[in-house]
Amino acid sequence: MTQIASTSDALVPQTAATSTAQGITLTPLAPPNFPQAYLLTIDGTRILLDCGTLDAVPQDLDTLSSVVAYLSTLATLAPTLSLVLVSHPLLSSLGLLPWLKARCGLRCPVYATLPTKEMGRWAVEEWVEAKSEEERNESRDAVQRDAKARLNGTKEAETEGRKRKKQKLEEKKVKEEELDPDELMMDAAMAVEDEKETDPWDEVWKLTLSEVRDAFFSINAIRWNQPVHLSGPLKGYLLLSHRSGHTLGGSLFTLRPTLSSSAGSTNSFLYAPIFNHLKEHHLDGAALLEGGARISEGFRRMGVVLVGAERSLMVAVKRSERERALLDLITKTLESSHSVLLPTDPSARLLELLVLLESHWTFANLGRQFPLVLISRTGKDVTTFVRSLTEWFGGQVGESEGVLKFSNVKMFPSLAALNSAIPAHVPKLILTVPSTLSHGISRELFVQMASTRGNVVVLTGRSEEGSLARSLWNAWEEKQAKGEKWGEGKLGKAVEIGEEVKLEMKKKVYLEGEELVAYEEKERLAAEAAQKKAALLERSRRMLDAAGGDDSDSESGSDDDSDVDQAEGGEIVSRRRRVGGFTGGAGAWDEFLDLTPGSGEGATGAQKQSFDVYVKGAYAVRSEEGGLGRFRMFPVIERKRRVDAYGEAIDVEGWLKRGVDEDEFTRGARLALENAKAAGKRAREEEEKALIRFEPPHKYVVETVDVQLLCSIFVVDMEGRADGRALKTILPQINPRKLVIVDGTPAAINDLAESCKSVAAMTREIFAPKAEECIVVGEETKNFTVRLGDSIMASLRMSRVDDYDVAYVSGTIHFDPESDIPILERASLVSAIVVPQVSDAKLIESASVPDEPKLEDGDASAVSPSNILPPLAPSLFIGDLRLTLLKDRLQAINVPSEFAGEGVLVCGPAPPESFQFAVLGTSNADTRMGARAVAQAAEKEAALVAGGKVAVKKVGRGRLVLEGTPGETFQVVRRVVYSMHAQAG
């Protein structure tokens, strides 16, 4: 006999009983000091949690080798992933997503909120464009060359997967020559050498704007608290995103089986690497807190929680003190006729600074004297787009939308545009990107402003390891007094470094003078060669058409059987090469094609020549990419017939439409659809053309400059993240069953782990995995499905739990030959299990099946047919009782209750009205003693009936104990406890 009971962790629908436990493993993929990415596997299904990158990777060998291994791991995993989750619109959370999409074959669904999707795209675009202004981006250059070629009609577009190889071998002709084994070996060695010289990190950022936009357009935008029922390998799981603070649209993700009774079940997973519990100017705090003070019920007792410990050792300064110090320093500096440089990120945290400074400029009326400037290529797009996201904002912006107009902010796409509009000597506050000062406009402005005493550079965080901003932060940290250092709870002071540093400056220089003349001469010669080649090809085409025009229905003449077409003087006119694999990609009957310009779609038979036999001979054709030769013979010229045997033009479309009746309405709908497709195609082409900017001839140079640091450096924490004190307070209140601590120094991780272990009620299962260390945080169990028979369904007594109806069932399994699903039917009375009754005052267990009692010898009369009674099913209480919620329920009926320790709630005594005790008229006191005496006697009698206090204790998972003296208080508390559970049995 089999007994199946549903518990609080896996509820069962009315028609099936299913076990939905999951096996969970977690692996940090990124090396130390690198933005984290995590591989989560659930029952063998792979999920990637974030995929961020650094603004600039340090050039030491150890870091480069670990980063190359990390990128190789991601590239290998990309095609096998089933889901990608992106938490924040930061480069450190999604910087590698376009690379994974464009280069690594990532095809699985990607989920993020709408602000994360759009603002993350602008962050990556800003990064790629800024890097491309200082280093050569071969992908973008190839797109520009192809666009020029399409406009000039000199060559066809190259396929995306072969752009880099074709650029190295551009302008080389296809030659026919005898195969030389030594030369083939030399070519292979050169190819290997080229691969060794390629920097793998270049592939990450050397992308085109089209590739970046395509990657972000493919993201599935979701809203906070929007349930997403996953499909495919993750079918049966529910994904939810929640507000995290820190960034606009930043999310915490919860993942759990659809049939779980609550978000806090054993099978649930919470991904919370970064969050901010405090309210900011443009954001509300994280959804973890309800009303800003207590943990939301939906996040209590989660199965697995992943949290970052980077700021575990920090004690943050109050927001009002930080902002007052920052604004006072800015105002004082501007009034002293000096400027302030404030580097920041291009999208997410930029908004908090803009809202703060916009309010200050308006309140202090600084706009007329001191310009507030933002220099960013995407700044105008960001500030315009966020005005449509008012439902995502909070704080000051949520109360008033007018601040998003940024009327005091002057935006410029480049430093040259700023210099042409505002003189350099005018005091101003400049916000620019990136925050690391590793490249781009911020680095160039720093070099200009650092050598002027009185200017101030404000850093809003520690920045990345190895960046210029991090080195300035280190220098500032050394000059701070004890107690005023970073993370010690007090603000530091602005200091002057007074040192000389050497900085490497990369930039793009446009060609002038002799260099420009030489470049133009080279381009002119290349254009003439291309025109000459096109003319020879056109002449060859006319000759072939003339030769084959005499007999279009017969075989080609002997003059056309040659593999090589020649013009006068013996000069080779047309070359043909093999494409694709052995069958060429054009069909087995059309293996070799002439891919000279003009042989694409719409080319004539002479231009698109095929060879019907592939044999070895004395000569071979080597393609542009090198490699083995291809032998070919017997050219076949296939021509399309323009007229039929009677001289009438052949209408192909008419034959295709033959037998199809098309009325005016259908014809109009078809034409409208065709016009819409054509319009969409033109719009896409125009958008692609808009992304391509044809630049004048240029080169890239690197120079080293000496910078005297005479300006002042001030560091203020504007990262908008929870500090160590908040983490150590929130996590014990969440009280997860398993805790995973990541993303921090070993000291920070150990500090947070020890703090959690010091809480007696906190879980002992705390993990701190290292890079590439796989940990198991969940168990994998098998799933079974059982169909309930008619006899079971007729006797069910359903009880409501959340959104589900549950019941206790007991029976035997039958296998129906017509169905693969076993059927559960009621057991007979003789084979039923005798279940002893258990006092309700002793113990309540969520899912317990008592053992069958053993009968002593001589008790055979106890089981005689005459005294068999139907057994009583055990009482099951389904649900997870929370003592805080029980306390609220008791207070609602005026039953006093208070906590006497962890896991113990002392209740009572219950007032008379809670158990319907009529105080008046029930006392035996003499009424002649007065009403007051009668009332006192009635109260004493009610107190006796109520009994003493009752203690409610949680002694383990699914085990609850009620202790107290018999009385109405015990009955009232037990009744409330019962009401908070679903009863089955």
Side-chain angles (χ1 to χ4, degrees):
M1 180 181 296
T2 303
Q3 290 190 344
I4 302 177
S6 60
T7 67
S8 60
D9 292 332
L11 298 184
V12 181
Q14 295 183 12
T15 58
T18 306
S19 174
T20 58
Q22 60 184 357
I24 303 176
T25 64
L26 186 71
T27 307
L29 300 176
N33 299 322
F34 203 85
Q36 290 298 312
Y38 309 97
L39 178 65
L40 176 70
T41 62
I42 300 179
D43 295 343
T45 303
R46 294 175 174 177
I47 303 173
L48 182 64
L49 306 176
D50 285 333
C51 49
T53 180
L54 294 174
D55 193 26
V57 175
Q59 295 302 309
D60 58 279
L61 295 179
D62 293 338
T63 303
L64 282 178
S65 60
S66 59
V67 168
V68 169
Y70 167 55
L71 296 180
S72 176
T73 301
L74 282 181
T76 304
L77 286 174
T80 66
L81 295 173
S82 299
L83 181 66
V84 177
L85 302 180
V86 178
S87 58
H88 293 278
L90 300 171
L91 204 62
S92 58
S93 295
L94 46 68
L96 294 179
L97 182 61
W99 172 71
L100 292 174
K101 281 280 189 181
R103 302 283 192 268
C104 303
L106 179 66
R107 295 294 179 267
C108 67
V110 183
Y111 285 97
T113 60
L114 178 62
T116 299
K117 172 182 177 179
E118 296 298 333
M119 300 182 69
R121 173 171 66 88
W122 283 312
V124 177
E125 284 185 10
E126 180 76 39
W127 178 53
V128 171
E129 285 294 291
K131 296 280 289 183
S132 300
E133 290 295 319
E134 298 183 352
E135 300 181 46
R136 185 176 300 280
N137 186 343
E138 288 82 359
S139 298
R140 190 177 68 169
D141 294 344
V143 171
Q144 292 182 358
R145 285 196 305 271
D146 292 343
K148 289 181 180 180
R150 286 195 297 268
L151 292 176
N152 298 331
T154 58
K155 66 174 183 178
E156 293 190 26
E158 300 170 339
T159 58
E160 183 176 315
R162 297 157 59 187
K163 288 178 182 177
R164 293 175 62 86
K165 291 183 179 180
K166 281 187 172 289
Q167 183 209 350
K168 296 179 181 179
L169 301 172
E170 190 180 8
E171 302 298 332
K172 287 187 178 181
K173 299 179 180 179
V174 179
K175 298 180 180 180
E176 291 185 357
E177 57 187 8
E178 295 186 10
L179 288 177
D180 187 351
D182 295 336
E183 186 175 353
L184 291 177
M185 293 291 292
M186 185 180 300
D187 291 343
M190 292 177 62
V192 173
E193 191 66 24
D194 289 341
E195 291 181 0
K196 291 182 179 179
E197 294 178 358
T198 302
D199 185 4
W201 181 251
D202 290 344
E203 293 289 339
V204 173
W205 68 267
K206 290 185 176 181
L207 305 167
T208 65
L209 289 182
S210 297
E211 291 173 338
V212 173
R213 296 191 176 186
D214 290 343
F216 282 93
F217 288 161
S218 64
I219 294 179
N220 299 305
I222 59 177
R223 303 178 65 86
W224 286 327
N225 300 320
Q226 172 190 345
V228 179
H229 296 270
L230 302 178
S231 59
L234 290 169
K235 184 178 181 181
Y237 289 93
L238 181 68
L239 176 68
L240 282 171
S241 64
H242 311 273
R243 185 179 66 251
S244 70
H246 181 56
T247 59
L248 183 65
S251 300
L252 310 173
F253 287 102
T254 58
L255 186 66
R256 62 183 176 90
T258 307
L259 296 181
S260 293
S261 59
S262 64
S265 66
T266 307
N267 303 329
S268 57
F269 176 80
L270 171 62
Y271 180 59
I274 304 174
F275 64 88
N276 185 17
H277 63 295
L278 296 176
K279 187 176 182 180
E280 295 188 277
H281 285 282
H282 77 299
L283 295 174
D284 289 330
L288 291 172
L289 298 180
E290 191 173 48
R294 53 187 297 180
I295 296 296
S296 175
E297 290 295 328
F299 293 98
R300 292 182 182 271
R301 296 295 292 164
M302 300 289 292
V304 182
V305 172
L306 184 147
V307 66
E310 183 179 353
R311 295 167 63 93
S312 175
L313 297 174
M314 284 191 57
V315 178
V317 185
K318 290 183 178 180
R319 195 189 78 177
S320 58
E321 296 181 12
R322 289 185 276 115
E323 293 176 353
R324 181 166 56 250
L326 173 63
L327 297 178
D328 289 346
L329 176 63
I330 291 175
T331 304
K332 182 179 178 181
T333 303
L334 295 177
E335 290 176 348
S336 64
S337 300
H338 292 91
S339 297
V340 179
L341 176 63
L342 183 55
T344 181
D345 75 283
S347 59
R349 296 303 301 172
L350 169 67
L351 293 176
E352 177 69 12
L353 295 174
L354 285 179
V355 172
L356 172 63
L357 296 173
E358 173 70 19
S359 301
H360 178 65
W361 246 247
T362 302
F363 179 78
N365 197 20
L366 300 177
R368 296 182 179 180
Q369 296 177 316
F370 311 114
L372 175 58
V373 176
L374 171 63
I375 308 179
S376 173
R377 296 173 181 83
T378 60
K380 189 172 182 180
D381 294 332
V382 170
T383 53
T384 302
F385 176 74
V386 296
R387 296 171 192 165
S388 63
L389 302 176
T390 54
E391 70 273 17
W392 298 87
F393 282 96
Q396 178 183 344
V397 176
E399 300 171 358
S400 175
E401 302 176 6
V403 70
L404 292 178
K405 295 181 180 179
F406 302 120
S407 56
N408 292 302
V409 182
K410 302 181 184 298
M411 302 181 190
F412 300 95
S414 63
L415 184 57
L418 170 65
N419 294 332
S420 62
I422 302 176
H425 66 274
V426 175
K428 50 187 169 293
L429 170 61
I430 305 176
L431 289 89
T432 186
V433 296
S435 60
T436 59
L437 301 175
S438 298
H439 61 272
I441 303 173
S442 63
R443 190 180 183 92
E444 188 174 353
L445 274 172
F446 174 79
V447 172
Q448 295 179 7
M449 298 177 60
S451 57
T452 302
R453 182 173 280 106
N455 289 344
V456 176
V457 176
V458 178
L459 304 178
T460 58
R462 286 186 297 182
S463 193
E464 301 171 359
E465 192 71 37
S467 63
L468 174 58
R470 186 59 175 266
S471 62
L472 294 176
W473 181 89
N474 292 333
W476 173 86
E477 179 81 352
E478 293 177 357
K479 293 182 177 292
Q480 299 303 310
K482 185 177 181 180
E484 296 180 352
K485 295 181 180 293
W486 176 266
E488 294 186 352
K490 292 184 180 180
L491 281 172
K493 298 179 180 179
V495 297
E496 183 178 315
I497 305 301
E499 299 178 357
E500 183 174 332
V501 296
K502 294 182 179 294
L503 298 180
E504 188 180 74
M505 302 296 294
K506 301 177 181 179
K507 58 182 178 180
K508 179 170 61 179
V509 179
Y510 293 103
L511 300 181
E512 297 178 351
E514 296 181 357
E515 290 182 332
L516 180 60
V517 172
Y519 176 83
E520 291 177 345
E521 180 66 17
K522 180 180 176 181
E523 290 291 311
R524 185 183 63 80
L525 294 177
E528 290 179 356
Q531 292 177 0
K532 183 178 180 181
K533 183 178 179 180
L536 292 175
L537 291 174
E538 179 64 21
R539 180 178 179 182
S540 174
R541 184 189 67 78
R542 290 197 301 268
M543 293 172 62
L544 289 173
D545 287 343
D550 297 336
D551 188 6
S552 60
D553 295 331
S554 63
E555 295 181 355
S556 302
S558 60
D559 295 338
D560 295 327
D561 291 339
S562 176
D563 185 1
V564 181
D565 303 322
Q566 293 185 349
E568 296 180 359
E571 183 177 1
I572 296 177
V573 175
S574 176
R575 300 288 183 237
R576 287 165 294 278
R577 56 187 174 88
R578 185 178 185 272
V579 296
F582 182 76
T583 58
W589 61 87
D590 198 6
E591 180 177 345
F592 290 98
L593 301 179
D594 185 359
L595 291 188
T596 53
S599 62
E601 295 182 1
T604 63
Q607 290 174 285
K608 196 168 185 177
Q609 198 172 38
S610 63
F611 295 80
D612 58 350
V613 177
Y614 174 82
V615 296
K616 283 192 175 183
Y619 292 92
V621 176
R622 181 187 300 169
S623 63
E624 293 180 0
E625 294 80 9
L628 297 176
R630 294 291 182 264
F631 302 85
R632 60 199 185 181
M633 293 183 63
F634 305 114
V636 178
I637 301 177
E638 299 178 356
R639 294 181 175 83
K640 295 181 180 179
R641 301 185 61 176
R642 296 182 176 85
V643 295
D644 58 13
Y646 299 96
E648 184 178 357
I650 300 176
D651 184 8
V652 179
E653 293 186 359
W655 283 99
L656 293 176
K657 298 176 183 178
R658 184 180 180 184
V660 178
D661 296 333
E662 188 177 40
D663 55 12
E664 295 183 0
F665 178 78
T666 306
R667 187 183 304 108
R670 178 178 57 80
L671 293 177
L673 180 61
E674 293 176 355
N675 294 334
K677 291 182 179 180
K681 183 177 180 180
R682 288 194 299 269
R684 289 192 298 270
E685 292 176 351
E686 293 176 358
E687 183 178 358
E688 292 178 358
K689 291 180 180 179
L691 294 177
I692 301 174
R693 297 191 298 270
F694 298 106
E695 295 182 315
H698 57 271
K699 64 179 181 180
Y700 296 91
V701 297
V702 180
E703 59 183 8
T704 303
V705 297
D706 297 328
V707 181
Q708 189 71 26
L709 300 180
L710 301 179
C711 65
S712 298
I713 306 296
F714 180 67
V715 178
V716 59
D717 181 15
M718 299 295 290
E719 293 182 349
R721 300 172 62 177
D723 62 350
R725 182 168 50 188
L727 291 173
K728 297 169 186 176
T729 303
I730 293 174
L731 288 179
Q733 295 185 44
I734 297 177
N735 195 13
R737 292 175 171 85
K738 295 180 181 179
L739 178 63
V740 182
I741 304 175
V742 294
D743 191 19
T745 62
I749 293 177
N750 292 335
D751 176 73
L752 183 58
E754 292 299 327
S755 175
C756 293
K757 290 179 181 179
S758 64
V759 181
M762 193 73 176
T763 178
R764 302 295 97 181
E765 296 187 78
I766 300 178
F767 304 89
K770 299 178 181 179
E772 299 183 1
E773 178 185 354
C774 180
I775 60 173
V776 179
V777 293
E779 297 79 16
E780 182 177 3
T781 59
K782 300 299 181 181
N783 297 329
F784 301 96
T785 300
V786 177
R787 185 164 62 89
L788 303 182
D790 296 337
S791 60
I792 293 290
M793 293 297 297
S795 60
L796 286 182
R797 290 190 301 172
M798 309 302 295
S799 181
R800 191 72 176 176
V801 178
D802 294 339
D803 297 331
Y804 304 98
D805 292 323
V806 296
Y808 177 85
V809 295
S810 176
T812 58
I813 294 292
H814 296 278
F815 292 91
D816 188 349
E818 298 181 358
S819 175
D820 296 333
I821 303 177
I823 303 174
L824 181 68
E825 296 285 359
R826 288 191 63 183
S828 64
L829 295 179
V830 177
S831 60
I833 296 178
V834 179
V835 181
Q837 299 186 11
V838 180
S839 175
D840 292 329
K842 285 186 176 181
L843 188 64
I844 299 174
E845 296 189 8
S846 294
S848 62
V849 180
D851 297 332
E852 184 176 357
K854 296 182 179 179
L855 301 179
E856 300 292 341
D857 294 339
D859 291 341
S861 59
V863 293
S864 61
S866 60
N867 56 9
I868 291 181
L869 296 177
L872 297 177
S875 296
L876 297 180
F877 296 87
I878 304 171
D880 189 10
L881 177 67
R882 305 187 188 280
L883 294 182
T884 54
L885 185 57
L886 175 61
K887 181 180 179 181
D888 294 340
R889 293 283 186 91
L890 292 175
Q891 288 179 348
I893 58 176
N894 299 323
V895 177
S897 59
E898 60 182 6
F899 287 100
E902 295 186 5
V904 179
L905 181 66
V906 178
C907 316
E913 60 271 14
S914 64
F915 52 88
Q916 299 179 354
F917 181 81
V919 177
L920 298 179
T922 60
S923 176
N924 296 324
D926 191 356
T927 56
R928 292 175 297 177
M929 298 178 62
R932 184 175 182 180
V934 173
Q936 290 178 352
E939 290 178 358
K940 290 181 180 180
E941 187 176 351
L944 291 175
V945 174
K949 295 183 178 181
V950 178
V952 182
K953 300 179 181 179
K954 298 187 73 172
V955 295
R957 180 182 175 186
R959 299 174 64 88
L960 192 69
V961 175
L962 275 68
E963 293 180 350
T965 58
E968 291 295 337
T969 301
F970 186 90
Q971 300 297 330
V972 169
V973 174
R974 188 182 69 168
R975 188 163 53 248
V976 174
V977 170
Y978 281 11
S979 67
M980 298 176 65
H981 291 80
Q983 301 180 42

